[in-house]
Amino acid sequence: MLQVERDSWLLWNRARDTLNNTRQDLPEVIPGSSDRLIVEHHLINDPQLRMAKAVQGWLQAIKLDERYQADLKMAMTKLEPKRIYWEKTCHFLKSSYNANLPNPYITCLDFDATHKQKRRLCDTDEQEENDLLQIVFSLLRVGEYSKAKNICKSTGYHWLAALLSANELYHDENYYCSEANDIVYPVEGNQKRIQWIESMYELSMD
């Protein structure tokens, strides 16, 4: 009961300003604005959108309790830094090619090879990938996108890190700063984010 009460107060604390702090004096969104600016504008203008964001943050916060953090930390100890993913499978492919041995595993390191070829990885690689995906899901569940991407990169899964980055809001500060400013800002997010979302939606419907 105490946890339920705590979670309820946490939700109220996050959502209490959503219906009262809407600004009516903001100009319309400038045509051609970046994804990030458009979302920020709507968050200021739309209390229901702010409420949805507050609920999302609340769900992430109540999930990230001490036990969840401890389990996640324990799971992360299984991961080892690597330059490439599927190291054991890669080593077997090289060895079997040189020795002309039969190969029961995938024949290339395409990240979709297991689905395309209907073949499997070496046992060690399969277990390591399952562990990684569970950890990534657990991190995404509590909103830790940056940490999830860093873990993917450190274990050689750069393609998975790129996939997680594809949904980031696009913004190029260089288009909005003063002309006298000599600082070049890095571009954020994915400029083709809408196309990526549409593609993911189509794939999920297959």
Side-chain angles (χ1 to χ4, degrees), residues 27 67 176 178:
R67 181 177 178 180
Y176 306 98
S178 171

Side-chain angles (χ1 to χ4, degrees), residues 15-206:
R16 60 184 174 181
D17 72 319
T18 58
L19 299 177
N20 300 320
N21 294 335
T22 302
R23 292 180 57 184
Q24 304 294 340
D25 58 339
L26 289 175
E28 294 295 324
V29 179
I30 301 174
S33 294
S34 68
D35 293 346
R36 197 189 79 183
L37 291 180
I38 293 173
V39 169
E40 289 175 351
H41 183 277
H42 285 300
L43 278 172
I44 295 174
N45 264 320
D46 190 341
Q48 297 301 323
L49 190 59
R50 292 202 306 277
M51 176 67 80
K53 191 173 188 301
V55 171
Q56 179 193 35
W58 171 71
L59 290 171
Q60 293 172 349
I62 63 173
K63 185 66 176 177
L64 191 59
D65 55 17
E66 292 184 3
R67 181 177 178 180
Y68 193 85
Q69 293 185 60
D71 292 344
L72 188 56
K73 187 175 181 180
M74 179 65 69
M76 290 172 64
T77 59
K78 301 178 182 179
L79 301 180
E80 298 179 0
K82 295 181 179 179
R83 292 185 298 107
I84 62 171
Y85 62 103
W86 299 347
E87 276 188 343
K88 301 296 189 299
T89 304
C90 180
H91 177 73
F92 179 85
L93 289 177
K94 292 179 179 179
S95 301
S96 62
Y97 178 80
N98 294 331
N100 197 24
L101 297 174
N103 176 26
Y105 305 118
I106 59 173
T107 59
C108 66
L109 293 183
D110 179 0
F111 62 84
D112 204 25
T114 54
H115 299 285
K116 290 179 179 177
Q117 299 183 354
K118 306 301 180 184
R119 292 185 171 211
R120 52 188 294 268
L121 307 173
C122 290
D123 293 340
T124 304
D125 289 338
E126 279 188 345
Q127 184 60 51
E128 289 178 349
E129 181 165 282
N130 289 335
D131 292 339
L132 173 66
L133 293 177
Q134 289 179 12
I135 291 171
V136 168
F137 176 81
S138 298
L139 290 170
L140 297 180
R141 174 67 179 79
V142 294
E144 295 282 1
Y145 284 86
S146 295
K147 187 176 291 186
K149 288 191 297 182
N150 290 336
I151 287 178
C152 291
K153 293 176 183 177
S154 67
T155 52
Y157 282 76
H158 297 280
W159 63 267
L160 184 54
L163 185 63
L164 294 176
S165 300
N167 195 37
E168 293 180 355
L169 296 172
Y170 174 75
H171 180 71
D172 187 351
E173 185 64 27
N174 300 292
Y175 283 107
Y176 306 98
C177 60
S178 171
E179 294 182 0
N181 193 347
D182 295 330
I183 301 175
V184 178
Y185 296 95
V187 178
E188 305 172 10
N190 178 18
Q191 192 171 11
K192 304 295 184 180
R193 178 173 171 270
I194 300 301
Q195 291 89 327
W196 179 83
I197 291 176
E198 292 174 349
S199 298
M200 293 299 101
Y201 180 77
E202 290 179 3
L203 288 172
S204 67
M205 298 299 290
D206 289 343

